[in-house]
């Protein structure tokens, strides 16, 4: 079988035809996600996605104006379930679980490299920058904020705390280590992030400064 006739993971590409839009998008997301998480963004092209998904390039360009926007949408759907935010009623446990899953995806799969490349490309690709905010970073921030606000309502986080700042403190620290890799993203690092946030950094018997 030639490369043109092959699909991702050896599956034959589907023929073109009139299919429901949701089904078409699902095929595109599947193909894009498998390419990104298996090979990275360098091998992602509209031509290859069209061939493997059975979706015309015209349709792809109509829905995604650039390769970056296509990659971002496919990536989000590929990791959506893995990065889902649990609600067990214990905010410390849920933060640890979600951050560990996030760190694992970012460091143990090509996804980490894909995200850093997309962040870099978004600096010069306005379509990608808009898509990144609306499809990925904005959605991840919304989900985290909702979970943290529920913890506030349950008395696990002070009422006066800005939960969006907590999002920046936790996930922003991980992104910092991914983008500026002076230090690794380890489980000990993730645990320390959550512990420092929940427990605070000042001794319980510390004397407040005078003045």
């Amino acid at each position: 079988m030639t490369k043109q006739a092959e699909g991702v993971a050896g599956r034959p590409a589907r023929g073109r035809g009139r299919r429901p839009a949701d089904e078409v998008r699902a095929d595109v997301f599947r193909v894009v996600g498998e390419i990104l998480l298996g090979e990275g963004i360098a091998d992602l092209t509209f031509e290859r996605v069209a061939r493997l998904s059975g979706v015309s390039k015209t349709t792809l360009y109509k829905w995604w104006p650039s390769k970056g926007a296509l990659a971002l949408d496919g990536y989000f759907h590929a990791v959506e379930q893995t990065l889902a935010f649990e609600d067990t009623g214990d905010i410390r446990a849920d933060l640890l679980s979600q951050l560990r899953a996030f760190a694992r995806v970012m460091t143990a799969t090509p996804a980490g490299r894909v995200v850093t490349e997309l962040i870099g490309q978004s600096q010069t690709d306005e379509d990608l920058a808009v898509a990144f905010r609306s499809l990925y970073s904005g959605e991840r921030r919304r989900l985290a904020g909702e979970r943290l606000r529920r913890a506030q309502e349950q008395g696990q986080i002070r009422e006066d705390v800005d939960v969006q700042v907590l999002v920046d403190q936790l996930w922003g620290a991980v992104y910092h280590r991914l983008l500026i890799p002076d230090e690794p993203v380890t489980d000990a690092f993730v645990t320390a992030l959550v512990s420092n946030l929940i427990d605070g950094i000042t001794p319980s018997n510390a004397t407040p400064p005078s003045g």
Side-chain angles (χ1 to χ4, degrees):
M1 182 179 291
T2 65
K3 184 174 181 180
Q4 279 197 333
E6 290 178 348
V8 175
R11 288 194 298 273
R14 297 184 56 171
R16 292 181 174 84
R18 187 177 296 278
R19 293 182 281 152
D22 288 347
E23 181 182 332
V24 173
R25 286 181 180 272
D27 280 349
V28 172
F29 292 147
R30 170 184 55 78
V31 168
V32 173
E34 289 176 346
I35 292 173
L36 290 177
L37 298 185
E39 305 171 34
I41 196 172
D43 294 317
L44 181 72
T45 65
F46 277 90
E47 291 77 9
R48 189 179 181 194
V49 172
R51 183 176 71 247
L52 299 181
S53 65
V55 178
S56 71
K57 284 199 299 181
T58 300
T59 298
L60 294 179
Y61 279 112
K62 181 175 68 174
W63 288 342
W64 296 280
S66 68
K67 170 182 170 178
L70 174 62
L72 180 63
D73 213 354
Y75 167 80
F76 176 78
H77 284 81
V79 301
E80 186 175 12
Q81 291 302 313
T82 302
L83 299 183
F85 216 127
E86 290 185 286
D87 186 351
T88 67
D90 182 339
I91 189 59
R92 181 193 291 266
D94 292 346
L95 286 173
L96 279 171
S97 176
Q98 209 288 329
L99 281 166
R100 281 171 172 157
F102 176 63
R104 193 160 48 245
V105 168
M106 293 297 104
T107 60
T109 76
R113 186 176 72 252
V114 169
V115 168
T116 56
E117 289 176 357
L118 289 172
I119 291 173
Q121 290 181 20
S122 70
Q123 307 308 303
T124 55
D125 183 339
E126 181 59 29
D127 289 328
L128 176 57
V130 171
F132 194 91
R133 290 191 294 270
S134 63
L135 296 176
Y136 184 71
S137 62
E139 181 67 7
R140 302 305 314 163
R141 179 180 287 275
R142 181 186 67 79
L143 292 172
E146 287 178 354
R147 177 64 189 93
L148 290 166
R149 277 188 287 274
R150 287 196 297 273
Q152 270 185 322
E153 293 168 359
Q154 295 164 352
Q156 297 183 53
I157 296 175
R158 291 199 329 264
E159 292 183 0
D160 62 322
V161 170
D162 185 334
V163 298
Q164 291 301 322
V165 174
L166 298 185
V167 173
D168 292 328
Q169 287 179 276
L170 292 169
W171 285 270
V174 178
Y175 278 120
H176 182 271
R177 287 202 174 190
L178 289 170
L179 292 169
I180 307 174
D182 294 332
E183 297 289 341
V185 178
T186 63
D187 188 69
F189 170 64
V190 168
T191 302
L193 283 178
V194 176
S195 295
N196 288 352
L197 185 73
I198 300 295
D199 299 332
I201 61 172
T202 57
S204 58
N205 61 348
T207 301
S210 59

